[in-house]
Amino acid sequence: MIETPAPRSLRRHQTVTLSLLFLAGVVNFLDRSSLSIANSTVRAEMHLSATQMGWLLSAFSLAYGIAQLPLIGLLDRAGTRAVLGGGLILWSAAQMLTGLVRGFSTFIVLRVLLGFGEAPFYPSGVRSTREWFSPAARARATAVMSSSQTIGLAVAPPILTGIMLALGWRAMFIVLGAAGLVVAVAWIAFHRARQHTDLHEPEPQLLSGPGLQEHAEPAWRALIRQRTVWGMMLGWGGINYTVWLYLAWLPGYLQAERHLSLTKSGWVAAVPFLAGAVGMLSSGAISDWLGRRGVPLTTVHRRNIVFGMIVSGASTFLVARSGTTVEAVAGISGAIFFIHFAGTSGWGYVQAVSPLRYVASLGALQNFASFMIASAAPVLTGWLLDRTHSFSIALGVCSAVAMLGALSYATLAAPSGMHLEQKSQPLVSGG
């Protein structure tokens, strides 16, 4: 991931940025998955139905999606250091306070604040990797950042289940919030945006480029007119619907549908998310390998997205018809592997089609639209579970949404529909 032709100080900044993004991502997804891990225990203690639990899970995702809108342009003005640092503090405080919650209404409010706080992570990460890494290494850097998601989700079930069994679910939330505050301090102390970093010669030449000039018009207005952007917004909804269904309900599925104990479900749930991490890293390595051989990155990423979403949707369809726990876990592992294979290229596609000045705003706009779609997954799944006592219909819906997302990327999201100004030469050389 370190671009060898560049001077040492550039390598150091790349390492610091990527390491901090990885740590922030692990904490981010530990926090997101905490309520899913504690699902059965919280429902029993607070006397919640599956539908109410679905609303708690969807409150986060709706807030997360809506909070993307203020990020359009804000990251360019305030910078990733301030925006992501502030987000880390907000979401960590909300997570700690969740350990003290007593009523459903207060629980909803804290889930909304958690969603607001976590919203800047991916747009900030995409902008930071776009700033500090060249096209030759950017897909792998994005994959490392994104792999924090599935690694966090993979370690969450056994680790959080262990904390919950030892200390209780309330203490689990408090411990996670405290860990997030530590990462917030590290991000604010050590991260610097590229344009605010003093570098030795010849790095200023390597890092210069027109991508940082002021927008001629508001970013959202320039982006919303693009057919490609609409295709990405709708298509990304298929990715996030799948991700969010498994993130929110996988432990509950293993316990209710496959009759695993709380302890055993914690270990078994780690397997599909580890597969997701492999899918992310595979996507990054393949994309960079093909890019170095002259295949346009827009083509590489779009093909990865469509292929990954189709196979993921097919795998989810098979999960609904699996006869044994082994078959179900294998199908879920395939679904999560390929949805994250597609998702990593989804963020790569944002970087490939957009100039630096629009990349954070495009990522935020894509996230906003997708979470308006994905937020239906937790509450719809809970509602169907209350009425059918089965996950089969919910899994079938997820499969269909993934297929429709692939269709959107294959048709509307073609790069020929993007008419922003041409990008400059690679902003960071090497790789």
Side-chain angles (χ1 to χ4, degrees):
M1 221 58 56
I2 307 308
E3 303 185 14
T4 52
R8 178 174 296 275
S9 56
L10 175 56
R11 293 198 299 270
R12 182 174 64 249
H13 286 297
Q14 289 173 329
T15 301
V16 168
T17 295
L18 198 55
S19 298
L20 289 173
L21 286 173
F22 182 84
L23 287 174
V26 169
V27 172
N28 186 300
F29 283 90
L30 283 171
D31 287 346
R32 286 193 204 191
S33 61
S34 56
L35 184 57
S36 303
I37 302 300
N39 188 326
S40 300
T41 306
V42 172
R43 284 172 59 191
E45 181 177 321
M46 299 189 68
H47 309 291
L48 303 177
S49 67
T51 303
Q52 286 177 305
M53 179 57 67
W55 277 115
L56 285 174
L57 294 164
S58 287
F60 165 86
S61 54
L62 280 169
Y64 183 94
I66 292 170
Q68 302 294 316
L69 292 177
L71 296 175
I72 300 174
L74 176 63
L75 280 164
D76 297 328
R77 296 191 300 271
T80 55
R81 183 185 178 209
V83 174
L84 182 54
L88 271 159
I89 293 171
L90 175 59
W91 99 54
S92 300
Q95 187 77 342
M96 293 184 74
L97 290 173
T98 301
L100 307 176
V101 72
R102 296 295 172 185
F104 181 74
S105 299
T106 306
F107 213 149
I108 285 280
V109 171
L110 290 173
R111 294 293 293 175
V112 168
L113 291 177
L114 183 71
F116 285 161
E118 291 201 3
F121 172 68
Y122 261 107
S124 297
V126 169
R127 181 178 174 87
S128 295
T129 54
R130 179 66 167 78
E131 285 180 334
W132 283 108
F133 291 87
S134 74
R138 197 174 292 148
R140 283 170 291 160
T142 302
V144 169
M145 178 195 74
S146 296
S147 69
S148 64
Q149 168 182 343
T150 46
I151 290 172
L153 294 175
V155 301
I159 290 177
L160 298 187
T161 299
I163 295 174
M164 189 168 60
L165 291 173
L167 303 175
W169 67 269
R170 295 180 181 278
M172 178 189 72
F173 281 96
I174 294 172
V175 169
L176 287 174
L181 291 176
V182 173
V183 177
V185 171
W187 175 262
I188 294 170
F190 297 111
H191 174 69
R192 295 293 183 273
R194 197 192 72 211
Q195 67 268 35
H196 298 149
T197 304
D198 293 328
L199 300 172
H200 300 297
E201 296 292 337
E203 290 169 324
Q205 284 71 36
L206 294 175
L207 298 176
S208 63
L212 295 174
Q213 67 192 59
E214 292 297 318
H215 296 179
E217 61 179 332
W220 68 268
R221 189 179 300 166
L223 292 168
I224 207 72
R225 292 199 300 262
Q226 312 298 319
R227 187 197 71 192
T228 300
V229 173
W230 282 97
M232 294 165 70
M233 289 160 63
L234 294 173
W236 194 248
I239 291 176
N240 268 339
Y241 190 100
T242 303
V243 169
W244 196 238
L245 180 137
Y246 285 117
L247 187 155
W249 282 103
L250 178 55
Y253 168 83
L254 293 173
Q255 292 165 35
E257 197 90 352
R258 297 298 162 184
H259 311 295
L260 299 185
S261 66
L262 178 62
T263 302
K264 191 171 183 179
S265 67
W267 287 101
V268 173
V271 175
F273 292 121
L274 285 173
V278 176
M280 286 181 168
L281 296 173
S282 299
S283 178
I286 290 170
S287 298
D288 279 345
W289 183 81
L290 290 172
R292 288 195 298 271
R293 279 149 183 79
V295 183
L297 288 176
T298 52
T299 301
V300 171
H301 290 307
R302 190 157 155 262
R303 286 176 180 172
N304 287 352
I305 294 165
V306 174
F307 171 74
M309 294 183 77
I310 290 173
V311 180
S312 178
S315 298
T316 295
F317 184 80
L318 293 175
V319 172
R321 283 149 183 79
S322 58
T324 67
T325 300
V326 172
E327 290 176 358
V329 173
I332 294 168
S333 297
I336 295 179
F337 176 98
F338 283 104
I339 206 65
H340 286 302
F341 181 90
T344 299
S345 270
W347 287 115
Y349 197 56
V350 169
Q351 297 169 330
V353 301
S354 176
L356 174 60
R357 73 180 67 182
Y358 293 114
V359 70
S361 296
L362 177 56
L365 191 61
Q366 173 179 275
N367 250 355
F368 160 73
S370 75
F371 268 92
M372 296 303 99
I373 298 169
S375 294
V379 69
L380 178 60
T381 301
W383 183 82
L384 289 169
L385 183 61
D386 276 338
R387 279 150 184 80
T388 67
H389 306 289
S390 170
F391 283 86
S392 296
I393 297 176
L395 290 167
V397 171
C398 179
S399 176
V401 173
M403 295 294 186
L404 290 172
L407 181 63
S408 181
Y409 271 107
T411 55
L412 294 174
S416 59
M418 195 76 160
H419 302 293
L420 298 172
E421 67 269 34
Q422 293 295 311
K423 298 182 282 295
S424 62
Q425 293 300 311
L427 297 176
V428 183
S429 67

